[in-house]
Amino acid sequence: MASARRLTSLAALALSLPSAAPALAPARAVRRGTLRPPRVQMSSSPDVRRFLTKPRDQRTEGFLMQQTMLRVKDPVKSLEFYCDGLGFNLLMYREFPQWGFNVYFVAPVAPERIPESAEEQWKLCMNTPGCIELTWNHGTEAEEGKVYNTGNSDTTGTQDGQKVRGGFGHLGITVPDVYEACERFQSLGYEFTKTPNSGGMKGLAFIKDPDGYLVEILPQGPMVTKPVDCAGVAVDGGGGYKDNSK
Amino acid sequence: MASARRLTSLAALALSLPSAAPALAPARAVRRGTLRPPRVQMSSSPDVRRFLTKPRDQRTEGFLMQQTMLRVKDPVKSLEFYCDGLGFNLLMYREFPQWGFNVYFVAPVAPERIPESAEEQWKLCMNTPGCIELTWNHGTEAEEGKVYNTGNSDTTGTQDGQKVRGGFGHLGITVPDVYEACERFQSLGYEFTKTPNSGGMKGLAFIKDPDGYLVEILPQGPMVTKPVDCAGVAVDGGGGYKDNSK
């Protein structure tokens, strides 16, 4: 269990064994990406182990978590980020001029697997878990500044300019090597809210997409660290834990 | 191309061929899940076909879209919805009492595939595309009413009680049979914002999770319809197109 307020390695996080025993939140708990600090609260962690092992209801056989839909200001900028930057491809898109919007489905699928016919593209897309549906409402590309609230204590899209307690936090992309991936993102000029060695959680990063949505970069294997990251931050530096969703 | 304002079947949608030619948004375009109606705007649909066929940059080899993180008020209610309701299992969870939050990763993975050790659970989770990371900030379960803004013209979490132009739209689950799945959701008492035959898009549905996040239910094969849906709505009824993200 990661007991220190400052973690020097996320290996501790990856291996931390959850406990079914009640845990008490500290008086000055750091809450993950919410607007207001909590009142002092005693929360018991519920015992959720049954959800690990429960048999699948046969009536849900084959269900897939296929898409996360995000609205984007400018679809070409988003496609450049997710396709050119993250290595995704466009699996399928649909235009609805009669309703004023287009949708673009992207996923990390090899281009040679993407069929040419619209019917087959649809079928592949609907059977590919973890697609992102980018929705473009015509006209937003011509608006000034940010258009949509990103969910992370963001003032965009409000009437009063005050932060919103948003529910959506981030997308998470796992990669074979976080440090190498981040070197590349750095060279592409992407904005980081956390480089791998910054903050208290070492070995993961957060970048922003063109609309400001957070994208977490995580390893597919054990949480390993390197002495220096793409921003020149040493693994024994970079400060303590902070909520990087904000 | 679906040219009518009222679609009688989403087969037309599934098979509609996108055009690279500029499309003009109508003066009274219905925008997808945004707060304000657009100003009259002439938007040209960009030619995005290169994103279908572009070769994958080798430096992105193996990248996965692994997670979508949503904050939830009460983790047990959310786990009941996603695990008992949608047939997902809990792949991995971590408790951070020192920081006041827990995270729960769920995905539609057969329970017999979920290892017992924390290290192996981590590895499986990080290599499973399309997980949902449910984040519980301790204490929210004791707050009254809704806690988080859902992204869809929602007033929750604002200072002034006015709607927010949110970016996150929905999660999308694909299933072998939308009508059968919805019969079950109906029997479980889940709230629908659209049953399969309601609205103008026939054959897909929207339900709400315990925090009010929208979950779209879509078919894995061709878009087929049935004469009557779980709410007794006939396929030739149910009204014309409306934006069901709102």
Side-chain angles (χ1 to χ4, degrees):
Chain A
M1 203 69 205
S3 59
R5 286 187 72 84
R6 174 172 170 175
L7 285 183
T8 54
S9 164
L10 244 188
L13 183 155
L15 303 180
S16 69
L17 279 164
S19 157
L24 301 184
R28 295 190 57 194
V30 179
R31 303 220 298 183
R32 203 167 184 221
T34 53
L35 178 58
R36 303 183 199 95
R39 277 163 264 156
V40 177
Q41 195 89 32
M42 309 266 280
S43 290
S44 298
S45 285
D47 184 353
V48 297
R49 287 171 296 181
R50 82 167 185 87
F51 296 106
L52 284 163
T53 53
K54 80 166 182 59
R56 185 161 197 169
D57 187 313
Q58 288 186 351
R59 292 167 297 176
T60 67
E61 205 61 54
F63 283 23
L64 278 187
M65 165 45 194
Q66 187 269 341
Q67 69 184 245
T68 298
M69 190 277 256
L70 296 177
R71 301 179 187 98
V72 299
K73 173 180 176 171
D74 183 325
V76 173
K77 286 185 181 167
S78 296
L79 287 167
E80 285 170 352
F81 178 85
Y82 288 102
C83 295
D84 296 338
L86 291 186
F88 290 18
N89 271 76
L90 179 62
L91 278 190
M92 176 182 86
Y93 64 108
R94 295 289 181 269
E95 299 174 351
F96 300 97
Q98 72 277 29
W99 297 326
F101 70 86
N102 293 7
V103 296
Y104 304 87
F105 286 84
V106 296
V109 168
E112 55 271 21
R113 287 192 53 221
I114 302 174
E116 285 190 16
S117 84
E119 298 92 323
E120 291 301 313
Q121 282 179 13
W122 167 274
K123 193 173 168 189
L124 174 66
C125 185
M126 290 297 127
N127 288 281
T128 299
C131 293
I132 305 170
E133 180 185 11
L134 304 166
T135 294
W136 170 45
N137 288 301
H138 298 175
T140 53
E141 77 287 357
E143 295 186 29
E144 280 188 25
K146 298 280 187 200
V147 172
Y148 296 117
N149 195 283
T150 62
N152 292 301
S153 296
D154 189 348
T155 62
T156 306
T158 62
Q159 306 287 311
D160 63 357
Q162 299 299 304
K163 290 178 180 176
V164 176
R165 199 175 182 185
F168 172 73
H170 59 256
L171 302 175
I173 310 297
T174 61
V175 303
D177 188 312
V178 169
Y179 288 75
E180 278 182 17
C182 288
E183 291 284 352
R184 187 162 158 277
F185 297 144
Q186 179 94 337
S187 74
L188 290 168
Y190 291 174
E191 183 182 351
F192 285 82
T193 57
K194 176 189 172 337
T195 60
N197 286 345
S198 303
M201 289 192 174
K202 309 302 183 188
L204 60 78
F206 278 90
I207 57 176
K208 285 190 175 182
D209 92 344
D211 290 277
Y213 296 119
L214 289 183
V215 179
E216 188 173 13
I217 310 298
L218 295 148
Q220 285 162 352
M223 192 72 70
V224 294
T225 58
K226 295 189 182 179
V228 180
D229 71 16
C230 59
V233 180
V235 72
D236 58 357
Y241 178 78
K242 68 182 265 296
D243 183 343
N244 294 297
S245 297
K246 287 182 184 172
Chain B
M1 203 68 209
S3 58
R5 285 188 72 85
R6 176 173 169 175
L7 285 183
T8 52
S9 164
L10 244 190
L13 183 155
L15 303 180
S16 70
L17 278 165
S19 155
L24 300 184
R28 296 191 57 194
V30 179
R31 304 218 299 181
R32 202 167 186 221
T34 54
L35 177 57
R36 304 182 198 95
R39 278 164 263 155
V40 178
Q41 196 88 34
M42 309 267 279
S43 289
S44 298
S45 284
D47 183 354
V48 297
R49 287 171 296 181
R50 84 169 184 86
F51 295 106
L52 285 163
T53 54
K54 86 170 176 57
R56 184 160 198 171
D57 187 314
Q58 287 186 351
R59 292 168 296 177
T60 67
E61 205 62 53
F63 283 23
L64 279 186
M65 166 46 197
Q66 187 268 342
Q67 69 185 245
T68 298
M69 190 276 255
L70 297 176
R71 302 180 186 97
V72 300
K73 173 179 175 170
D74 184 326
V76 173
K77 286 185 181 165
S78 296
L79 287 167
E80 287 171 351
F81 178 86
Y82 288 103
C83 294
D84 296 338
L86 291 186
F88 290 18
N89 272 75
L90 179 61
L91 278 191
M92 176 183 87
Y93 65 107
R94 295 288 180 271
E95 300 174 351
F96 300 98
Q98 71 276 33
W99 297 327
F101 71 85
N102 293 8
V103 296
Y104 304 89
F105 286 84
V106 297
V109 167
E112 55 271 22
R113 287 192 55 221
I114 301 174
E116 286 190 18
S117 83
E119 298 92 322
E120 292 300 313
Q121 282 179 12
W122 166 273
K123 193 173 169 188
L124 174 67
C125 185
M126 290 298 128
N127 288 280
T128 298
C131 293
I132 305 170
E133 180 185 11
L134 304 166
T135 294
W136 170 47
N137 287 302
H138 299 175
T140 53
E141 77 286 359
E143 296 185 28
E144 280 188 24
K146 299 280 186 198
V147 172
Y148 296 116
N149 194 284
T150 62
N152 293 300
S153 295
D154 189 347
T155 61
T156 306
T158 62
Q159 306 288 310
D160 62 357
Q162 299 298 305
K163 291 179 179 175
V164 176
R165 197 176 184 185
F168 173 73
H170 59 256
L171 303 174
I173 309 298
T174 61
V175 302
D177 188 313
V178 169
Y179 288 75
E180 278 182 17
C182 288
E183 292 283 354
R184 187 162 159 277
F185 297 144
Q186 179 94 337
S187 74
L188 291 168
Y190 290 174
E191 182 182 352
F192 285 83
T193 58
K194 176 191 172 335
T195 59
N197 287 345
S198 302
M201 289 192 175
K202 307 302 184 188
L204 61 79
F206 278 90
I207 58 177
K208 284 190 177 183
D209 93 345
D211 290 278
Y213 297 118
L214 289 183
V215 179
E216 186 173 13
I217 310 298
L218 295 148
Q220 285 162 351
M223 193 70 72
V224 294
T225 58
K226 294 189 182 180
V228 179
D229 72 16
C230 59
V233 180
V235 72
D236 58 355
Y241 178 78
K242 69 182 263 299
D243 183 342
N244 294 297
S245 297
K246 289 182 184 174

